[in-house]
Amino acid sequence: ERYDEAEAYYQRALKIKSKHLGEKHPDIIKLLGNYSNLLLALNKKSEADALRAGSTVITAKNWSKSKVTPEFV
């Protein structure tokens, strides 16, 4: 299947986007979520969980710096 090929593209996209947008950018968070879904499809649960945890930390830090309080909190 092409999942292995997709994994290489996600890794490349993360490297490029992180360099240009910064690791805390919302696009990076979205990319991490999508990449973690791919890892789950590849039965790489521990790696997927690590990516999700990282994106959750970034999201929490972004919200803590924001003056807007999300309604769902």
Side-chain angles (χ1 to χ4, degrees), residues 53-65:
S55 66
T56 301
V57 168
I58 294 169
T59 301
K61 286 182 180 179
N62 285 349
W63 276 111
S64 69
K65 293 179 182 176

Side-chain angles (χ1 to χ4, degrees), residues 12-43:
R12 184 170 180 227
L14 273 171
K15 184 176 180 180
I16 293 168
K17 284 190 170 225
S18 293
K19 180 180 177 182
H20 293 285
L21 299 175
E23 293 183 355
K24 296 178 183 176
H25 193 277
D27 287 353
I28 300 298
I29 297 166
K30 185 175 182 179
L31 186 59
L32 287 171
N34 291 337
Y35 184 18
S36 68
N37 289 336
L38 172 70
L39 291 173
L40 287 173
L42 291 169
N43 294 317

